[in-house]
Amino acid sequence: DASARSLLTLINDVLDLSKVEAGRMEISDAPFDLAVCLQSGLASLDLTARQKGLSFRCQIDEDVPQSLLGDAGRLQQILINLVGNAVKFTDAGGRITLHCAQSDGRAEVVVTDTGRGIPRGKLESIFDPFVQVDRHLTPERQQGVGLGLAISRDLARAMSGDITVQSDAGKGATFV
């Protein structure tokens, strides 16, 4: 049942947020294969994007090591949220790209879309829990509760990274 799945997702998101904010989220530091992590984490979103009429492309630069050290599950959680939002907020005919590059000896992941974008004045607030920009423009069946970006940024920071965004209303968004 869709209602039960939505409730379970909400409960898990609230639990994750409270663990991260309390400093009790367990982050593993184990080797993992970047390509396998991306393929297994994003397979369903690639299908959803194609069904919606979106172009979805994933590229890993050759200089990015395939074997990384970190928490593959938490990285997948972040990427599923970022790409899922791109799919949600990009109209048919749009494009989404996920690009992995090496920057200062670290892997950098960039998710870019041609969606409706985010007004400049709201760029920082989108990382606050329960904040949703232009909720009235999102069909009810696609609405979340505004925890995904907050959890994702907290997880990235717990793994010694961060998430930044560049966007403007009507011009898509880029999350790094």
Side-chain angles (χ1 to χ4, degrees), residues 1 17 20 25 34 41 53 73-74 85 91 102 112 125 140 150 158:
D1 175 66
L17 184 65
V20 172
M25 176 64 75
L34 179 61
R74 296 300 179 189
N85 281 350
D91 292 331
Q102 190 168 170
T112 304
S125 68
E140 190 172 323

Side-chain angles (χ1 to χ4, degrees), residues 78-168:
I78 292 167
L79 295 178
I80 288 169
N81 181 61
L82 294 177
V83 174
N85 281 350
V87 169
K88 185 188 303 186
F89 298 117
T90 302
D91 292 331
R95 293 180 318 280
I96 299 167
T97 58
L98 185 147
H99 179 226
C100 296
Q102 190 168 170
S103 176
D104 296 326
R106 299 173 60 124
E108 179 178 83
V109 181
V110 180
V111 177
T112 304
D113 66 62
T114 59
R116 70 182 188 213
I118 305 158
R120 285 182 189 246
K122 297 188 178 184
L123 288 176
E124 274 307 306
S125 68
I126 64 170
F127 294 104
D128 294 338
F130 305 108
V131 170
Q132 292 182 315
V133 176
D134 298 332
R135 183 177 179 94
H136 64 284
L137 297 175
T138 305
E140 190 172 323
R141 69 184 184 287
Q142 291 183 326
Q143 290 180 6
V145 293
L147 291 175
L149 289 175
I151 292 168
S152 293
R153 182 180 251 184
D154 285 348
L155 285 173
R157 288 176 172 173
M159 295 187 292
S160 301
D162 203 356
I163 297 178
T164 60
V165 61
Q166 294 176 335
S167 185
D168 210 346

